[in-house]
Each structure stands twice: as structure tokens, then as C-alpha cells.
Amino acid sequence: MRVLIVHAHHEPKSFNAAMTDTAVRTLRAAGHEVVVSDLYAQGFDPVSDRRNFTTVADAAVLKQQAEEALASAEGGFAPELAAEIEKLDWCDVLILQFPIWWLGPPAILKGWIDRVFAVGVAYGGGRWFDRGRLKGKRAMCAVTVGGGADVYSDRGVYGAIKNILYPLHRGVFAFTGLEVVEPFVVYAPNRIDAAERAAWLARYEHRLLDLDGAPKIPGPDMAEFDGLVRRR
Ligand SMILES: Cc1cc2nc3c(=O)[nH]c(=O)nc-3n(C[C@H](O)[C@H](O)[C@H](O)COP(=O)(O)O)c2cc1C
């Protein structure tokens, strides 16, 4: 299996970095191919604008999706973006590795999605959800949060973690046809001791080696929909 890990953390000594290191080591030892996009180390620019493109569909008004469609058809993505798109095309499994910041992904990762999941690459031409362009691939969020599991339970102040990750699971992964693997969530890694951190990493190894067996979050059954609205 070919795995792309998009790593969004600025500190090599962070728990997120330990998770990515664990994933690279574990997956390669099991015979899988792994590529890491280390966004901070690459200096990845999360700002999406005309610099995404070498082609121009309309020089007067910037319509990102129209520019993406043209760039997809004519090979007009900027080199650093084309390189990320190539990795996305290449992989069978996409892992987004990030800390929860303000109940969402860090801006550098959101920007990676905004720029890389382009029309003609990830969706477009009526291809979304069960006919999405990325169908056949899988995706998983591997995340850390500052709060404990109780804070992210139904009774916690933020509610269930699955609701916080819904924009990624439904709006990005399912929308583009990716099969959604249940997220791997590490709670409060900075408030546990070394033994507990090691135990979390061991659990993560097991998850990585059993992505087939891991629970999946089903996308919408589009047979029940007219367009994007469920039939009554
Ligand atoms: C800008 C910023 C925003 C944060 N927002 C949240 C948040 O909304 N909820 C939360 O539980 N923790 C939040 N945290 C804490 C981080 O999630 C936590 O420190 C991180 O997951 C720990 O992993 P690390 O050591 O690999 O960074 C935030 C941290 C930063 C720097």
C-alpha cells in the first residue's frame, strides 16, 4: 500500500512528530511505501490565489474553480502544487496528521486542502461522493487534542470529536470519494507521562497495521438523494 502522510506540525519534538515517525517506521517495516509531506519543513504556502496556477482562464476575475479546471486540463498548476497533487494521485491511503487548533486543523493544513483538492483533481464534472474522483483510496485523520476524552464526549463542553472532524470527514473525504477510516485521536498528550505516551504510540502502530479492520465512517448513500438533497 502507498501511504501519503500530510504532517502539519512545526515542532519536531511534538507528539504529532512522534506519531508521524511511528507511522513511517511501522508502515515501511511492514513493506508499505510511505511519503511524507512535512508542510512546515517544506515551507508550504497555505494561501490559495493566482499563484496556484501557471495557466490563466480569466485574467480579469479570479474564479478559483474555473482556474483549477483549466489547470487540471492543461497541466497548469504551480510546481509546488503539482508535486502535492502527484503525491495525492500516487497514494492509496491519505493520513492527515495534525493537532486540533481552535476545533479545526491548523491553517497550513487547511490551506493544503484548499489548494490541492482542486477541480479536476479531487472533484468536478459531476464526480463527487460515491462517484468522487478519489474513489478507491482511503483517508484517516490522526490527531491530537489538548483536552481529555471527557471534554470531547457527548457531555463535554466541545461535544463529540466526530462532530468536530465532520467537516473533514464529510466535506473533504466523503465528498471526493475517499473512504473514511475512523480517526485516531490522542487526548492530552502533553499531560501524560512517558509510559502513557508510549502506549498511545503502540496503539497507533496497531491501527496503522490494521486499516482494513478499522471501523469506517459511511458516506451518504447517494441513491437516496436527488442531487445533494435527500428525497422525502
Ligand atoms: C493555536 C492553538 C489552538 C488550540 N486549540 C485547541 C482546541 O481548540 N482544543 C483543544 O483541545 N486543544 C487546542 N490546542 C491544544 C493542542 O491541540 C495541543 O497542544 C496539541 O494537540 C498537543 O499535541 P502536540 O504536543 O503534538 O502539539 C490548541 C493549541 C494551539 C497552539
Side-chain angles (χ1 to χ4, degrees), residues 9 14-16 99-103 144-147 152 158 189-190:
H9 203 291
S14 64
F15 199 74
N16 276 264
I100 292 284
W101 282 4
W102 301 114
L103 299 190
T144 64
V145 292
Y152 287 91
Y158 297 128
N190 295 334

